[in-house]
Amino acid sequence: MSTELLPPVAPDVLADAVEQLSARLRKKLDAAISGCAGQASATADGTVEVHFGEDATVTLSPGPSGTVMNAEQAVCTCLLAPRCLHRAAVLGAAPIADGEGDAGGGDDSGTGKAAGSGTASDTGAGPEEPAPNTPAADVAATVVSPAALTAAQVLAATALWDAAAEALSAGVTAGGAVVQAELLRAAHTARLAGLPRAEAAALRVVRSLRAARERSEGQRLADLTGAFRELLAGTALLASGSADTDAAGSARRVYEQGGSLRVYGLCREPVLSATGYGGVTTHLVGSDGAGYTVSDVRPGGLARVKGAGSASVALGGAVLDHAGLARGGLRIVGATVSADGRLGAGRGVSATPLRGVDWSEEPAAALFTRPVQEAMAAVLADGAPEVGGPGRTAPSLLGCDVEVIGAAGDSVVVRVAGEGPLLRLRPAHPHPELPHAANLRRIAEHPGLALRVLGRPDLDRAATLRPLAVGPVPGASATLRLPDAWKGRADLGYDRLQGEHFPRETAGSADCGPVTAGPDPLAEAPLWRVRRLLETGVAGGRRAVAEAGRGTDAAWLSARLTRAELGVAAHLAQALTTEAGRRPRDTFGRLTDPSADAYARAWLASAVHLAAAERSLVAASWS
């Protein structure tokens, strides 16, 4: 569907428009939304018009922010307006505007803490959209993190749980505009009650539902499954009334005074979100070894990503650009720092450039001297404090010295120095216009190459690292030979490795036969069958899970899991299929329990257990 001209619409505006429709018109809404494709046209005064024949024209008049924020900004000329199908269809076809929450403690720049965390850019979904840099004093004044949940918040969370359970029960096939509107209504209520993290999770589910129904390029069913798990887990905790203060989240990122800091650049990371944001994040390390990030992420696509890599750093009047900061340093006075390590650009912040440090110098060297198993254990603990729970943070960066073995499919197989484990290097971002994949292909052509790698572990794949930057190994002969201007490192998302950067002794090495990536406990375990069952429920809804539980397939699944000593997974999968098929009816054939609550809880229990089991297997693969 082509909806590029349509401005974003606030969730509550869309929910109100759908709620005003009659039952007859609601049945026609999805078809009407599909018919809006290509009918939008922009006018000279900034409004957007969508024509439905000669008798009806819907006009959207976004405000100064570019978003339709109230019902008066969407009007139709037909006789049934504003309770007409035309108006609801156009609003349903428009992108969903962001809520005021940032997922509570999640990074609005696509970065995280420690020596940096980044976007989940393998899927192109990336981070939630960021708000512009705001002075620390202004941001700190807008914190919404209640000490204890109020009765209104518990009720709002309960309503959001009910809406999410119904959306899960419907699945992608039946999760049309009406189901999405109910979820948006509950999300809006959660925002008004002061639950921004729950609202952000609900918006992610709605966006993913839309993308799945439209069969958008890059949309993965696994992403929608994870979004449902996060939403249900978070709202279940909030609805119980026993959540801690962090579960509600905060409406704006909070910056605190950090005093004087000396930070040194590690690398740059391009940020390209599927929701229309692009830019760069520069990862830094402090003199005490703590990790920091400086981000420039704004609305824009690939051109914005490429330009931001060499754009000036908006931090305390510093004269460096992001390329210079990634290989240099800053002395910051009056620094403001968020909980996840992002540096703020408040009015009282001043910064002066410093000489950068090589990766072999402290404090950067500490990232590469730590044993990889120990570092990965810390990353797992830091990246997922509660497996399957709300507010999962992106993993910290991990550094290690490796020796290239060769290519295995789209991965580069390497061995950690010192007889360490085999790792798979995969592109940090799959976009073909970014040089991640091309650089890894060049590296794979040089088996025996000694390489120093800094990247983000993939917590969903066995022994997989997403490299952001590489450099030569000190003292090694067969290692990279980078230009002096690169200061001993290559940012794989911006710099392009050439043949002259590699030693001749590794070029054209003798064919050593097929390269194996080592054992993959995730692929070998029968847990993938549970994952397929959960994804079947997301795609086809409750009815599809009930069908999967009939016949010999369910018994075979249970037997395979039991033989693999995964009895809990077998029990939860059996409970899910049983609950999916439980539809008690009275003597007149009417459902006596139409609620999807029990089904959603059974699905969530199996999903959370699967996430924990897979995380354990990922941890084992790094040993």
Side-chain angles (χ1 to χ4, degrees):
M1 183 187 305
S2 177
T3 59
E4 296 179 357
L5 291 178
L6 297 178
V9 173
D12 59 305
V13 175
L14 172 57
D16 285 338
V18 175
E19 187 177 4
Q20 293 177 21
L21 295 178
S22 64
R24 180 179 63 85
L25 292 180
R26 289 189 183 190
K27 295 179 181 179
K28 301 180 180 181
L29 182 56
D30 288 327
I33 289 175
S34 300
C36 292
Q39 299 186 34
S41 60
T43 62
D45 60 355
T47 62
V48 177
E49 294 182 348
V50 181
H51 300 278
F52 292 85
E54 299 179 356
D55 301 326
T57 299
V58 177
T59 303
L60 302 183
S61 304
S65 65
T67 301
V68 176
M69 297 299 297
N70 54 68
E72 291 73 20
Q73 293 175 319
V75 297
C76 181
T77 59
C78 77
L79 296 178
L80 292 179
R83 301 180 179 182
C84 62
L85 182 63
H86 312 113
R87 180 173 175 270
V90 173
L91 292 175
I96 300 173
D98 295 322
E100 296 182 359
D102 67 349
D107 194 320
D108 59 7
S109 67
T111 60
K113 62 181 179 178
S117 60
T119 67
S121 52
D122 181 41
T123 64
E128 289 302 298
E129 292 78 358
N133 286 335
T134 309
D138 297 339
V139 177
T142 59
V143 180
V144 184
S145 290
L149 294 180
T150 64
Q153 288 175 318
V154 174
L155 287 175
T158 302
L160 183 55
W161 163 269
D162 292 338
E166 292 295 337
L168 176 68
S169 180
V172 173
T173 54
V178 175
V179 173
Q180 296 170 24
E182 293 297 328
L183 196 51
L184 291 175
R185 165 66 67 193
H188 178 65
T189 303
R191 178 176 70 83
L192 296 180
L195 301 175
R197 175 177 289 161
E199 182 210 14
L203 293 183
R204 281 194 290 273
V205 168
V206 173
R207 289 192 180 103
S208 296
L209 268 176
R210 281 189 171 190
R213 289 178 60 83
E214 296 169 6
R215 294 181 174 85
S216 299
E217 184 179 356
Q219 172 62 30
R220 298 194 313 161
L221 190 57
D223 298 332
L224 179 54
T225 303
F228 263 116
R229 185 186 69 236
E230 180 181 343
L231 173 60
L232 290 171
T235 52
L237 181 64
L238 293 169
S240 69
S242 60
D244 56 21
T245 56
D246 292 335
S250 59
R252 300 290 294 274
R253 177 175 300 276
V254 182
Y255 290 87
E256 298 180 353
Q257 292 297 325
S260 296
L261 296 175
R262 289 177 178 266
V263 294
Y264 304 94
L266 293 172
C267 64
R268 289 173 294 169
E269 176 185 8
V271 177
L272 182 59
S273 168
T275 50
Y277 280 70
V280 64
T281 290
T282 298
H283 297 276
L284 310 163
V285 60
S287 55
D288 59 351
Y292 301 94
T293 57
V294 175
S295 297
D296 180 7
V297 182
R298 301 180 187 277
L302 185 63
R304 175 83 177 84
V305 174
K306 294 180 176 179
S310 55
S312 298
V313 176
L315 182 64
V319 296
L320 289 176
D321 57 20
H322 280 272
L325 179 57
R327 295 177 169 94
L330 287 176
R331 182 179 182 273
I332 307 174
V333 178
T336 56
V337 187
S338 69
D340 54 9
R342 179 174 174 179
L343 296 174
R347 297 186 183 91
V349 178
S350 62
T352 55
L354 293 175
R355 181 189 71 85
V357 298
D358 191 83
W359 280 359
S360 59
E361 304 177 52
E362 295 294 345
L367 290 170
F368 303 94
T369 56
R370 192 177 188 182
V372 68
Q373 295 86 350
E374 178 184 334
M376 187 58 191
V379 167
L380 287 170
D382 184 51
E386 293 183 24
V387 177
R392 166 177 164 176
T393 60
S396 306
L397 295 189
L398 183 149
C400 57
D401 293 345
V402 301
E403 179 183 348
V404 176
I405 296 178
D410 58 351
S411 303
V412 181
V413 181
V414 299
R415 181 177 293 279
V416 177
E419 299 300 323
L422 287 175
L423 303 182
R424 303 165 184 83
L425 304 184
R426 295 175 62 88
H429 201 292
H431 198 289
E433 294 296 323
L434 296 176
H436 289 288
N439 284 330
L440 287 185
R441 284 194 297 268
R442 277 198 172 273
I443 291 173
E445 296 171 356
H446 297 266
L449 178 71
L451 203 62
R452 178 158 281 186
V453 182
L454 183 65
R456 187 184 324 106
D458 189 333
L459 303 185
D460 298 321
R461 296 177 183 267
T464 300
L465 187 66
R466 306 279 182 171
L468 301 179
V470 296
V473 176
S477 58
T479 190
L480 289 176
R481 299 170 180 174
L482 301 178
D484 294 339
W486 289 10
K487 304 292 181 64
R489 69 204 70 167
D491 295 330
L492 297 181
Y494 287 100
D495 303 323
R496 291 188 179 270
L497 295 174
Q498 307 295 334
E500 62 189 16
H501 299 151
F502 296 89
R504 292 184 178 179
E505 53 267 30
T506 62
S509 298
D511 186 8
C512 57
V515 174
T516 59
D520 187 344
L522 276 181
E524 296 169 359
L527 286 172
W528 65 269
R529 303 178 189 278
V530 180
R531 189 184 316 115
R532 185 172 65 179
L533 178 65
L534 296 173
E535 292 178 356
T536 296
V538 171
R542 178 174 186 167
R543 182 174 300 178
V545 176
E547 290 293 332
R550 297 189 177 99
T552 59
D553 288 345
W556 185 63
L557 169 61
S558 179
R560 288 293 302 271
L561 292 172
T562 303
R563 283 199 300 269
E565 299 183 354
L566 297 170
V568 175
H571 171 74
L572 292 175
Q574 180 63 42
L576 173 60
T577 55
T578 300
E579 181 58 38
R582 190 184 67 83
R583 305 288 280 174
R585 298 179 182 271
D586 60 17
T587 55
F588 297 100
R590 296 171 299 191
L591 286 174
T592 58
D593 184 14
S595 173
D597 180 80
Y599 168 74
R601 293 187 184 280
W603 187 93
L604 178 60
S606 187
V608 170
H609 178 269
L610 175 65
E614 290 182 334
R615 183 59 50 81
S616 298
L617 293 175
V618 169
S621 69
W622 284 80
S623 59

